[in-house]
Amino acid sequence: MQELKHWSLKDRRGITGVLTDIDDTLTTDGAITADALAALAALQRAGLTVIAVTGRPAGWSEPFARAWPLDAVVAENGAVAFSLQKKAPWPNSADHHPLAKRYQQDAATRCANYARMQQVAQRILREVAGAVLAEDSAGRETDIAIDHHEFAHLSAARIAQTVQIMQSEGMNATVSSIHINGWYGTHNKLTGARWIVSELLGRELDAERDRWVYVGDSTNDQLMFEAFPHSVGVANVRRFEAQLAHPPRYITESERGAGFAEMAAALLAARTG
C-alpha cells in the first residue's frame, strides 16, 4: 500500500466515478462525519458519479440514499440498490423525491432464499458460542449478518467457525469490519457495482474501471481492491492488513470518514490543479 501522495496527478484527473464502502469508510463510530458528508457533496458538485456499495441492509440503506449526496446505494453486498428518480442538489434531495428500488433476484428466489437463510442463522446461534444476529437484521431482505465487532465481539476462531457454517450450507460468506454476512446467489460487491452502473448510467463498468476509484477499509473490500487499478484504503484498513490477499493500492493518513475526505480532496485538487 502506497501513501496517497503517490497517486499520480494524471491518474487522478482521469477519475470520473467513486465507489465507496460505508461502515468505517464514510462513518466513524457508526455515524457519517461532517467532513465525509461535505466530501461527498463536493464530489457531486464536481460532476463525479458517487455510489456507495455496502453490506448493510436495505432497510438501513434506504434513508441514506435519500439524505446523502450519492447517485445510488447498493446494499446487502450487491443484492439491492436505491437511487433517487429525480435527483436534486444536496442538501435539497429531500424525502418527497421518489426512490427507485431494484433487486438482482426475483421475488420468488428472494422468498425461498430468505427461508433457508433463517435456518442457517439459527444453526449459527446454536453452534457458535457468543454469536448474535446483527442489530440491523430486521432490515435485511437477501442476507443474514452476525455481529462480530459492532455491539458484540467474536474471536477470530468464532468468526472462522461462522464463515465455515455459512459455506457448508452453500452460502457465500464475507467478513466486514463489523459483521459476518452470508447469502445465496452469485452477487457480490463487484457484480453489484457492475449492475448499478449499467442500470443507472447505461454503461459497462468493466470497460472503464481505470476511470473509477474504490474506497474501503476491510477484508470484504478486497474483491474491489483487486478489481480496480485505483483503489484506496482508509488508514484503519491496517487492522486487516495481514488478512488481505489483495490490499488497496493506496492508503490515506487518516482513518474512517476523515480518510475518505482526504481521498476526495486529492481527487478534487487534481481537477482544479
Side-chain angles (χ1 to χ4, degrees):
M1 293 184 288
Q2 302 177 58
E3 294 178 13
L4 195 62
K5 66 183 180 182
H6 296 300
W7 192 10
S8 77
L9 186 63
K10 178 183 177 182
D11 286 343
R12 282 181 283 145
R13 281 177 174 160
I15 298 296
T16 59
V18 177
L19 297 162
T20 181
D21 177 54
I22 292 181
D23 281 298
D24 292 322
T25 300
L26 288 176
T27 65
T28 302
D29 296 328
I32 194 167
T33 56
D35 52 356
L37 196 60
L40 290 174
L43 292 169
Q44 184 187 67
R45 288 194 301 271
L48 282 84
T49 301
V50 186
I51 298 171
V53 187
T54 180
R56 285 288 196 170
W60 184 92
S61 301
E62 182 174 350
F64 302 127
R66 294 185 184 278
W68 295 355
L70 294 165
D71 291 275
V73 177
V74 181
E76 300 188 19
N77 287 294
V80 190
F82 299 94
S83 61
L84 286 173
Q85 293 180 338
K86 182 179 180 182
K87 193 167 181 64
W90 186 83
N92 298 315
S93 52
D95 290 342
H96 62 274
H97 289 293
L99 196 69
K101 184 178 185 181
R102 302 170 173 88
Y103 294 96
Q104 288 227 56
Q105 298 172 331
D106 62 37
T109 301
R110 297 197 306 272
C111 184
N113 287 344
Y114 186 86
R116 294 169 67 195
M117 290 187 299
Q118 305 319 303
Q119 294 176 349
V120 179
Q122 291 307 309
R123 178 186 167 190
I124 293 168
L125 298 184
R126 289 193 305 269
E127 296 184 16
V128 180
V132 295
L133 291 173
E135 290 199 5
D136 64 10
S137 291
R140 294 186 177 276
E141 301 181 38
T142 64
D143 76 348
I144 56 173
I146 303 298
D147 189 344
H148 76 81
H149 199 74
E150 186 174 28
F151 302 106
H153 178 77
L154 288 182
S155 67
R158 299 303 185 200
I159 293 171
Q161 183 185 4
T162 302
V163 168
Q164 189 279 325
I165 291 173
M166 289 178 175
Q167 292 175 339
S168 74
E169 295 281 356
M171 302 181 79
N172 295 293
T174 189
V175 182
S176 75
S177 61
I178 55 173
H179 294 161
I180 309 156
N181 297 89
W183 68 92
Y184 290 107
T186 58
H187 57 273
N188 53 44
K189 282 192 169 185
L190 180 56
T191 65
R194 288 179 182 137
W195 167 59
I196 197 59
V197 167
S198 176
E199 290 276 315
L200 202 64
L201 306 176
R203 307 203 309 257
E204 295 299 321
L205 180 59
D206 286 350
E208 51 182 72
R209 285 193 200 185
D210 61 342
R211 300 184 68 81
W212 291 76
V213 59
Y214 181 77
V215 192
D217 76 293
S218 68
T219 54
N220 78 328
D221 295 308
Q222 60 183 330
L223 183 66
M224 302 294 273
F225 292 153
E226 179 186 16
F228 290 89
H230 307 297
S231 60
V232 176
V234 289
N236 43 296
V237 75
R238 294 274 189 207
R239 173 183 160 201
F240 298 99
E241 188 171 6
Q243 303 167 44
L244 291 173
H246 302 287
R249 185 168 184 179
Y250 303 103
I251 186 167
T252 63
E253 291 184 5
S254 303
E255 296 189 346
R256 300 177 171 84
F260 182 87
E262 183 184 332
M263 181 284 308
L267 269 187
L268 294 171
R271 295 171 73 87
T272 58

